[in-house]
Amino acid sequence: MVTIGIVGAGLRGRLFAEALRGQPEVTVVGLAEPSAKVAEEARAATGLPVTASHPELLEAFDPDAVIVATPDFAHRRIAVDVAEAGKHLLIEKPVATTLDDALAIAAAVHRSGVRCLVGFENRWNPHVVQAKAAMASVGEPITASATLSNSFFVPTTMLSWAAQSSPAWFLMPHTVDLVLWLTGRRPVSVSAVGSRGVLAKRGVDTWDVVHALVAFDDGSTATLSSAWTLPDAGDGIVDFRFQVIGTEGSVTADLSHQGLTVVSDKYRSAWPVSGRIGRSQVGPAVWMVQDFAAGLVDGGDLGPDIDHGVLVTQIICAIEDSITTGQTVQLTAPTI
Amino acid sequence: MVTIGIVGAGLRGRLFAEALRGQPEVTVVGLAEPSAKVAEEARAATGLPVTASHPELLEAFDPDAVIVATPDFAHRRIAVDVAEAGKHLLIEKPVATTLDDALAIAAAVHRSGVRCLVGFENRWNPHVVQAKAAMASVGEPITASATLSNSFFVPTTMLSWAAQSSPAWFLMPHTVDLVLWLTGRRPVSVSAVGSRGVLAKRGVDTWDVVHALVAFDDGSTATLSSAWTLPDAGDGIVDFRFQVIGTEGSVTADLSHQGLTVVSDKYRSAWPVSGRIGRSQVGPAVWMVQDFAAGLVDGGDLGPDIDHGVLVTQIICAIEDSITTGQTVQLTAPTI
Amino acid sequence: MVTIGIVGAGLRGRLFAEALRGQPEVTVVGLAEPSAKVAEEARAATGLPVTASHPELLEAFDPDAVIVATPDFAHRRIAVDVAEAGKHLLIEKPVATTLDDALAIAAAVHRSGVRCLVGFENRWNPHVVQAKAAMASVGEPITASATLSNSFFVPTTMLSWAAQSSPAWFLMPHTVDLVLWLTGRRPVSVSAVGSRGVLAKRGVDTWDVVHALVAFDDGSTATLSSAWTLPDAGDGIVDFRFQVIGTEGSVTADLSHQGLTVVSDKYRSAWPVSGRIGRSQVGPAVWMVQDFAAGLVDGGDLGPDIDHGVLVTQIICAIEDSITTGQTVQLTAPTI
Amino acid sequence: MVTIGIVGAGLRGRLFAEALRGQPEVTVVGLAEPSAKVAEEARAATGLPVTASHPELLEAFDPDAVIVATPDFAHRRIAVDVAEAGKHLLIEKPVATTLDDALAIAAAVHRSGVRCLVGFENRWNPHVVQAKAAMASVGEPITASATLSNSFFVPTTMLSWAAQSSPAWFLMPHTVDLVLWLTGRRPVSVSAVGSRGVLAKRGVDTWDVVHALVAFDDGSTATLSSAWTLPDAGDGIVDFRFQVIGTEGSVTADLSHQGLTVVSDKYRSAWPVSGRIGRSQVGPAVWMVQDFAAGLVDGGDLGPDIDHGVLVTQIICAIEDSITTGQTVQLTAPTI
């Protein structure tokens, strides 16, 4: 039996707790949450004990593994403490929002020898899984492009901490990971442009939009775009499209339109189907956390590791650098 | 612990066996299959015992429940025997291809008091589940339409028994059930047209295409279309689209294009994503059979019952009648 | 030089006048319009004289040809008078809304020997033209289906005379003509269902939705659907889709989504591009009326003739009959 | 009466000749074509005289205006000679493939005071015209992105001179112009990446794919992508998509899928509808050249001028520079 604690008892933390309920040989022992209000809600929703901090969680339940489901910028101390306590880790993406933080977490993980999954949940997204499978049929990758954007709703209403994040930090970890996974290439340099001002006028002082070019070590390329300024009158809050062109074929995805359109006086939706199918809870985050638990039980592969997480953080730091300096930024292997 | 046997060890039977592996408190005890060759393959693929007939399966393992996964026209004797032996049933759709057969199965089920799920697996199809949920937002249903068609591949290559079936029997059980479920209306009459000749020239003597109109007891209507003659050069083997228009909104689905297009020299695909996501086996048939087993364990609702299955068979019989006679066919409640 | 008068000075009449301006060897001599207010607007918009009635138009200008651009139900007297005066005709579709009216117009046209185009403008719709051209590549038609629907806006706001029309009369002339043109088949019987009540509650007492099945003389079939109850929150006011399946291929059209989506706080649009391109006025109605005029000048083919117009009216009358009687209606050649 | 000569008698030259036939107050006097074989075909196709060179065309017919419809790299001498002869010009895009050539043409045009249209024909593309109109509804542009790619067919089969061109020169003039026109912004710097090798292996030694970032003087941005390596098994030879996000809305276009899909054993098409509608020849190039002629007749605005053409060439030169140097390239106003 593997025991798991969850740090962060917001929507994601509760989703993970729910997804692990009834999984064989796994027990969620409790959550940690600094906000008394959120903690109380989580207690009511999950029926699980909720401590006020991650040290108390470790102290009280001594779990085998910990899931870090807090905002990005708060990962470092928790992840380092958990790793140093010898607990396995699932850390939400991005692993951190500075390279220094990411390297500190990686160092702790490597030192203690714990296992660590960074939660790039698109690895469990059915479309992305199928796209990865299709790569075998399209020859050598020539180039890739990916757009992942949100409507204003996300930075201005959904996220309380949007000003501490950006389209680059909130959205591009997904597309950077996507492009690296699908192409299997190693990035060597990054150029990027971006603009700000529109969200700032709405009270969220961060980038409105970021575009980046990536060059890989075999000379191939990719382009990434993320905006946080799509109109709220559109089809849902997410625009997610990507394309990989290979020497013998292509994979093209528009995950914003998955075949179902609901139009009513009350709402409009063209966004993917998810949620509950009969008794089954479905969706990438559910399958990811269940596989994490199963991998802890049987020792099987967990998925993207901490070094990959560091690389993604490094690339997004380079994107930010390039926007600021107007120059192409070379990526050198960090000393982990 | 619930024990389950499976009659029919083809692809569907093996899929059900695989989907039930590792489900809590459920054991698949064996399969039955008349073809020695298929039986041998199933033994190798599943590691389970395979008997030559359903009586031997019942005799050898005395399971609590049986899944009937044979071709449609072969359901009657198996289902009646299983019901009379007091075993619960999952019968693949359509429950039978004559009203007489369907009523015989229903009578056996009711007489013996066993539980019975008819496998309208779209009830576990994520898009259909979401469409059903959306019905709450679109007001009263005014009308529905559904198209479910296949390319030539299905009747000429995939199905060995296509000449004993038709677009009406192979495809319309899905769309009849879909329209009944989404609208919640009771059908009162059916008109239909169809044509044959193209498949006959290719050696499969059945209908090429069937179109039907359905009138409901509240005056509302639906239209259904199924063809078996789409070009094989198209996007996959299935064209599945539907629309429900309500007084306050609409639901429109094109399940043939779910957002991912793969084009290569080897194949082309725009058809839904399915299969395996990490360690999870996903898809409507998987979730359906897992819920069937779970419902047997805890007594919860199983889904569409035998009387609904009879109604769907009755409607398709009426569609065939209408094509033949050129007249509108009234539906009267059968004496079950 | 060919001279043309236009009866009906609403939006369509003015569009025709505008489209003919500057065409070689053609002069629009004037319009006729009973409403003093509309007549005044048309005078200002076109700079052309506007008489109060069609006899006055004929009297004052003695044109070579007349375009009948009034509501459907008002065609008969005008078209008969114009034909009997020996003037060529462009009559908007449907030629009439009763078979009696249609036959009276046809008789007058045949008696006087004038030329007559019935304005099935989809013959000049780029998508439909391309679909027709593609028919050469898809083998023999097996079946066709067509949906043409409007949102509530059309019957409740756009058309003042919606209660005197219906989805069948306003929309199905397009799809009946489309299916006849694309397949080249002769219809022999019609079955239809429909419902009413939702528009009636909104003050427009007509059918909400109509579905029809058509059988052709070679045994092939078609299905047609038209609703006037789509949600106004959708993508524009028109949903227009069709498919023809042939023995060697298929043509599939969704003219509601032609590749451009505009989303703003002010409006939303996915409907076809049209209007003015530089100095060119473009669109089916423009090209149709210009070809009508050019055909009068050089004697070339005009397009769908009065007998085709009668057939389309006959089919829609049969659809209405079938809805009312619940029976399949046989089509016999009318004595024209 | 305006007289026009056409240099280059290939497909484009003949299309222009055909499009100008019957236009009021315009006469095409002849074409010029160095290839005897192409000249002979053009004579047969158009019935017009074809000289062997542009000086002979000028000498023989002394036209008021000349259309330059040769490959890109051959524009300079022709355009300069024509301008210096005092003839108005329509030059196909890009005006030239070096900044030096473009500036030489611009200098000649300005010196002689002739009128000059650079043929950015998307200004007459119905979707782009509608997108431009929609810009009034989406607020201030925040960012734009545009993808315009071809399948292998274009560089390896369609164009004999592909190795002298590239995705940047053949495709990006369209998207650079598109983004400049829709946003109305002035570009200040460019970063780009690209790769080569796949086309080289197929015997066409040029770039496979090019991606570029553009920064504008108000801080806003755009991203452009063009590949020449899409699979030939896809939907036609062109993939053309763009999006502009504004402060109050967005415009999203996928011109590769305009609502019509033809699938047959012989071909497959989802590409735009064009060609002939009844007696009307339609399409961007037709409307552009007709408006050019009409503007010469009445003195009205012609469209994108030579200075805009120089700017587009300058930007594409900067894209090539950036790919080669790996650095961001600043754009300074050239001295024209």
Side-chain angles (χ1 to χ4, degrees):
Chain A
M1 180 65 72
V2 167
T3 55
I4 298 181
I6 300 172
V7 181
L11 291 179
R12 289 288 286 192
R14 290 178 221 170
L15 173 66
F16 291 137
E18 165 78 3
L20 292 174
R21 190 189 310 277
Q23 288 302 103
E25 303 182 55
V26 176
T27 304
V28 176
V29 290
L31 299 90
E33 171 61 50
S35 153
K37 180 166 170 296
V38 173
E40 192 46 49
E41 287 167 7
R43 236 171 249 121
T46 64
L48 291 167
V50 183
T51 67
S53 69
H54 70 276
E56 290 167 89
L57 183 77
L58 293 174
E59 173 73 22
F61 301 107
D62 192 32
D64 300 315
V66 168
I67 298 171
V68 183
T70 67
D72 313 335
F73 50 82
H75 286 175
R76 179 179 180 158
R77 230 199 76 211
I78 299 162
V80 169
D81 288 353
V82 166
E84 291 184 342
K87 312 307 185 189
H88 306 302
L89 274 163
L90 192 174
I91 309 177
E92 286 271 61
K93 63 85 227 171
V95 70
T97 55
T98 70
L99 186 55
D100 191 55
D101 282 2
L103 289 171
I105 295 169
V109 166
H110 288 304
R111 239 179 357 250
S112 65
V114 297
R115 307 185 71 195
C116 177
L117 167 66
V118 182
F120 293 104
E121 73 178 52
N122 276 311
R123 306 282 184 112
W124 288 264
N125 178 323
H127 285 78
V128 177
V129 169
Q130 187 113 332
K132 177 67 176 171
M135 293 305 296
S137 305
V138 301
E140 287 301 301
I142 299 174
T143 196
S145 56
T147 296
L148 180 60
S149 295
N150 289 142
S151 63
F152 282 112
F153 171 79
V154 170
T156 64
T157 305
M158 192 179 98
L159 294 180
S160 58
W161 43 279
Q164 290 166 271
S165 183
S166 72
W169 284 112
F170 190 70
L171 295 169
M172 282 191 170
H174 287 298
T175 47
V176 167
D177 174 58
L178 176 75
V179 162
L180 296 181
W181 193 42
L182 293 184
T183 67
R185 299 292 184 264
R186 185 93 196 165
V188 293
S189 69
V190 168
S191 305
V193 292
S195 64
R196 48 201 307 154
V198 175
L199 283 169
K201 272 185 204 148
R202 297 191 181 207
V204 180
D205 193 8
T206 189
W207 297 98
D208 298 328
V209 58
V210 173
H211 301 290
L213 302 179
V214 182
F216 295 106
D217 57 0
D218 68 341
S220 69
T221 57
T223 177
L224 309 171
S225 293
S226 286
W228 255 1
T229 59
L230 287 173
D232 286 326
D235 292 337
I237 62 174
V238 181
D239 182 20
F240 187 9
R241 289 170 284 135
F242 61 88
Q243 183 176 56
V244 181
I245 303 177
T247 49
E248 293 161 34
S250 64
V251 175
T252 306
D254 180 353
L255 302 202
S256 323
H257 290 89
Q258 298 190 8
L260 188 73
T261 307
V262 179
V263 173
S264 82
D265 302 346
K266 299 187 197 76
Y267 76 111
R268 179 180 178 98
S269 163
W271 177 244
V273 164
S274 64
R276 187 168 284 279
I277 309 296
R279 294 156 176 253
S280 298
Q281 210 183 348
V282 304
V286 169
W287 293 317
M288 174 178 72
V289 76
Q290 290 175 349
D291 278 5
F292 172 68
L296 294 182
V297 169
D298 68 14
D301 182 54
L302 292 186
D305 66 13
I306 186 65
D307 294 346
H308 180 76
V310 170
L311 176 61
V312 171
T313 287
Q314 185 191 14
I315 291 169
I316 295 173
C317 289
I319 288 171
E320 289 205 319
D321 279 1
S322 181
I323 299 175
T324 311
T325 64
Q327 295 304 314
T328 301
V329 176
Q330 306 301 316
L331 297 165
T332 51
T335 314
I336 300 180
Chain B
M1 179 65 70
V2 166
T3 55
I4 297 182
I6 299 172
V7 181
L11 291 179
R12 290 288 284 191
R14 291 177 222 172
L15 173 65
F16 290 138
E18 165 79 3
L20 291 174
R21 191 189 310 274
Q23 289 302 105
E25 302 182 55
V26 177
T27 305
V28 176
V29 291
L31 298 92
E33 172 59 50
S35 154
K37 179 165 172 294
V38 174
E40 193 46 49
E41 286 167 9
R43 238 172 248 123
T46 64
L48 291 168
V50 184
T51 67
S53 70
H54 70 276
E56 289 166 89
L57 184 76
L58 294 175
E59 174 72 21
F61 303 106
D62 194 32
D64 299 315
V66 168
I67 298 171
V68 182
T70 67
D72 312 336
F73 52 82
H75 285 175
R76 181 178 179 162
R77 230 199 78 208
I78 300 161
V80 169
D81 288 351
V82 166
E84 290 184 343
K87 312 308 185 189
H88 306 301
L89 274 163
L90 191 174
I91 310 177
E92 286 271 61
K93 64 84 221 166
V95 70
T97 55
T98 70
L99 186 54
D100 191 56
D101 282 2
L103 289 172
I105 296 169
V109 166
H110 288 305
R111 239 180 355 249
S112 64
V114 296
R115 306 186 71 193
C116 177
L117 166 66
V118 182
F120 293 104
E121 73 177 53
N122 275 311
R123 305 283 184 110
W124 287 265
N125 177 324
H127 284 80
V128 176
V129 169
Q130 188 114 328
K132 177 66 177 172
M135 293 305 298
S137 305
V138 301
E140 287 299 302
I142 299 174
T143 196
S145 56
T147 295
L148 180 59
S149 294
N150 289 143
S151 63
F152 281 112
F153 171 78
V154 170
T156 63
T157 306
M158 191 178 98
L159 294 180
S160 58
W161 42 281
Q164 289 166 273
S165 184
S166 73
W169 284 112
F170 190 71
L171 296 170
M172 283 191 167
H174 287 299
T175 47
V176 167
D177 175 58
L178 175 76
V179 162
L180 296 181
W181 192 41
L182 293 184
T183 67
R185 297 295 184 263
R186 184 94 196 164
V188 293
S189 68
V190 168
S191 305
V193 291
S195 64
R196 50 201 306 156
V198 176
L199 282 169
K201 273 185 205 147
R202 297 193 180 207
V204 180
D205 193 8
T206 187
W207 297 99
D208 298 328
V209 57
V210 173
H211 301 289
L213 303 179
V214 182
F216 295 107
D217 58 358
D218 68 340
S220 68
T221 58
T223 178
L224 309 172
S225 294
S226 287
W228 256 2
T229 58
L230 287 172
D232 287 326
D235 293 338
I237 61 173
V238 181
D239 181 21
F240 186 10
R241 289 170 283 135
F242 62 87
Q243 183 175 55
V244 181
I245 304 176
T247 49
E248 293 161 35
S250 64
V251 175
T252 305
D254 181 353
L255 302 203
S256 325
H257 291 87
Q258 299 191 7
L260 187 72
T261 306
V262 179
V263 174
S264 81
D265 302 345
K266 301 190 196 71
Y267 76 112
R268 179 180 178 96
S269 163
W271 177 244
V273 164
S274 65
R276 187 168 285 281
I277 308 296
R279 294 154 177 257
S280 298
Q281 208 184 350
V282 304
V286 168
W287 294 318
M288 175 178 72
V289 76
Q290 290 175 347
D291 278 6
F292 172 69
L296 294 182
V297 169
D298 68 13
D301 182 52
L302 293 186
D305 65 12
I306 186 64
D307 294 346
H308 181 75
V310 170
L311 176 61
V312 171
T313 286
Q314 185 192 13
I315 291 169
I316 295 172
C317 289
I319 288 171
E320 289 205 320
D321 279 1
S322 181
I323 298 176
T324 311
T325 63
Q327 296 303 314
T328 302
V329 175
Q330 305 301 316
L331 298 165
T332 51
T335 315
I336 299 180
Chain C
M1 180 63 74
V2 167
T3 55
I4 298 181
I6 299 171
V7 181
L11 292 179
R12 290 287 285 192
R14 290 177 221 172
L15 173 66
F16 291 137
E18 166 79 2
L20 292 175
R21 191 189 310 275
Q23 288 303 103
E25 303 182 56
V26 176
T27 305
V28 176
V29 291
L31 298 91
E33 172 60 50
S35 154
K37 179 165 170 298
V38 173
E40 194 46 48
E41 287 168 8
R43 236 171 250 124
T46 65
L48 292 168
V50 184
T51 68
S53 69
H54 70 276
E56 289 166 89
L57 183 76
L58 294 175
E59 173 71 21
F61 303 106
D62 193 32
D64 300 314
V66 169
I67 297 170
V68 183
T70 66
D72 314 334
F73 50 81
H75 286 175
R76 179 179 181 160
R77 232 200 76 210
I78 299 162
V80 168
D81 289 353
V82 165
E84 290 184 342
K87 313 306 186 191
H88 306 302
L89 275 162
L90 192 175
I91 310 176
E92 286 271 62
K93 62 85 228 171
V95 70
T97 55
T98 71
L99 186 55
D100 191 55
D101 283 2
L103 289 172
I105 295 169
V109 165
H110 288 304
R111 244 184 346 253
S112 65
V114 297
R115 307 185 71 194
C116 178
L117 167 66
V118 182
F120 293 104
E121 73 178 52
N122 275 312
R123 305 283 183 111
W124 288 265
N125 178 322
H127 284 78
V128 176
V129 169
Q130 187 115 331
K132 177 66 178 173
M135 292 306 297
S137 305
V138 301
E140 287 300 300
I142 299 174
T143 196
S145 56
T147 295
L148 180 60
S149 294
N150 289 143
S151 63
F152 281 113
F153 171 80
V154 170
T156 64
T157 306
M158 191 178 98
L159 295 179
S160 58
W161 42 280
Q164 290 166 270
S165 183
S166 71
W169 283 112
F170 190 71
L171 296 170
M172 283 191 169
H174 287 298
T175 47
V176 168
D177 175 58
L178 174 77
V179 162
L180 295 181
W181 193 42
L182 293 183
T183 67
R185 297 293 183 263
R186 184 94 197 165
V188 294
S189 69
V190 168
S191 305
V193 294
S195 64
R196 49 202 306 156
V198 175
L199 283 168
K201 270 184 205 148
R202 296 191 181 208
V204 180
D205 191 8
T206 189
W207 298 98
D208 297 328
V209 59
V210 173
H211 301 290
L213 303 180
V214 181
F216 295 106
D217 57 0
D218 69 340
S220 69
T221 58
T223 176
L224 309 171
S225 293
S226 287
W228 256 2
T229 59
L230 287 172
D232 287 326
D235 292 338
I237 63 174
V238 181
D239 181 20
F240 187 9
R241 289 171 283 136
F242 61 88
Q243 184 176 55
V244 181
I245 303 176
T247 48
E248 293 160 34
S250 64
V251 175
T252 306
D254 180 353
L255 303 202
S256 325
H257 290 89
Q258 299 190 8
L260 188 73
T261 307
V262 179
V263 174
S264 83
D265 301 346
K266 300 187 196 74
Y267 75 112
R268 179 182 178 95
S269 164
W271 177 243
V273 164
S274 64
R276 189 167 282 281
I277 308 297
R279 293 154 178 256
S280 299
Q281 208 182 350
V282 304
V286 169
W287 293 317
M288 175 177 72
V289 76
Q290 290 176 348
D291 277 5
F292 172 68
L296 294 181
V297 169
D298 68 13
D301 182 54
L302 292 185
D305 66 13
I306 185 65
D307 294 346
H308 181 75
V310 170
L311 176 61
V312 171
T313 287
Q314 185 191 14
I315 291 169
I316 295 172
C317 289
I319 288 171
E320 289 204 319
D321 279 0
S322 181
I323 299 176
T324 312
T325 64
Q327 295 304 314
T328 301
V329 176
Q330 304 302 316
L331 297 166
T332 52
T335 314
I336 298 179
Chain D
M1 179 65 70
V2 167
T3 54
I4 298 181
I6 299 171
V7 181
L11 291 179
R12 289 288 284 191
R14 290 177 223 173
L15 173 66
F16 290 138
E18 165 79 3
L20 291 175
R21 191 188 309 275
Q23 288 302 103
E25 303 182 56
V26 176
T27 305
V28 176
V29 290
L31 298 91
E33 171 60 50
S35 154
K37 179 165 171 294
V38 173
E40 194 45 51
E41 287 167 7
R43 238 171 248 122
T46 65
L48 291 168
V50 183
T51 67
S53 69
H54 70 276
E56 290 165 88
L57 184 76
L58 295 175
E59 173 71 20
F61 302 107
D62 193 33
D64 300 315
V66 168
I67 298 171
V68 183
T70 66
D72 312 336
F73 51 81
H75 285 176
R76 181 179 179 160
R77 231 200 78 208
I78 300 161
V80 169
D81 289 351
V82 166
E84 290 184 344
K87 312 307 185 189
H88 305 302
L89 275 162
L90 191 174
I91 310 177
E92 286 271 61
K93 63 85 220 168
V95 71
T97 55
T98 70
L99 187 53
D100 191 54
D101 283 0
L103 289 172
I105 295 169
V109 166
H110 288 306
R111 242 182 353 251
S112 64
V114 297
R115 307 186 69 194
C116 178
L117 166 66
V118 181
F120 293 104
E121 73 177 52
N122 275 311
R123 305 283 183 111
W124 288 264
N125 178 323
H127 284 80
V128 177
V129 169
Q130 187 113 330
K132 177 66 176 171
M135 293 305 298
S137 305
V138 302
E140 287 300 301
I142 299 174
T143 196
S145 57
T147 296
L148 181 59
S149 295
N150 288 143
S151 63
F152 281 112
F153 171 79
V154 171
T156 63
T157 305
M158 191 179 97
L159 295 180
S160 58
W161 43 280
Q164 289 166 273
S165 183
S166 71
W169 283 112
F170 190 71
L171 296 170
M172 284 190 168
H174 287 298
T175 47
V176 168
D177 175 59
L178 175 77
V179 161
L180 296 181
W181 193 42
L182 294 184
T183 66
R185 297 294 185 263
R186 185 95 196 164
V188 293
S189 68
V190 169
S191 306
V193 292
S195 63
R196 49 200 307 155
V198 175
L199 282 170
K201 272 185 207 149
R202 297 192 181 208
V204 180
D205 192 9
T206 188
W207 297 99
D208 298 327
V209 58
V210 173
H211 301 289
L213 303 179
V214 182
F216 295 107
D217 59 357
D218 69 340
S220 69
T221 58
T223 177
L224 309 172
S225 294
S226 286
W228 255 2
T229 58
L230 287 172
D232 287 325
D235 292 338
I237 62 173
V238 182
D239 180 21
F240 187 10
R241 289 170 283 133
F242 62 88
Q243 183 176 56
V244 181
I245 303 177
T247 49
E248 293 161 34
S250 63
V251 175
T252 306
D254 180 353
L255 302 203
S256 324
H257 290 89
Q258 299 191 8
L260 187 73
T261 307
V262 178
V263 175
S264 81
D265 301 346
K266 301 189 195 73
Y267 75 112
R268 179 181 177 97
S269 163
W271 176 245
V273 165
S274 64
R276 188 168 284 281
I277 309 297
R279 293 153 177 257
S280 299
Q281 209 182 351
V282 304
V286 170
W287 294 318
M288 175 178 72
V289 78
Q290 290 175 348
D291 277 7
F292 173 68
L296 294 182
V297 169
D298 70 12
D301 181 53
L302 292 186
D305 65 13
I306 186 65
D307 293 347
H308 180 75
V310 170
L311 176 60
V312 171
T313 286
Q314 186 191 14
I315 291 169
I316 295 172
C317 290
I319 287 171
E320 288 205 322
D321 279 1
S322 181
I323 298 176
T324 311
T325 63
Q327 295 303 315
T328 301
V329 176
Q330 304 301 316
L331 298 166
T332 53
T335 314
I336 299 182

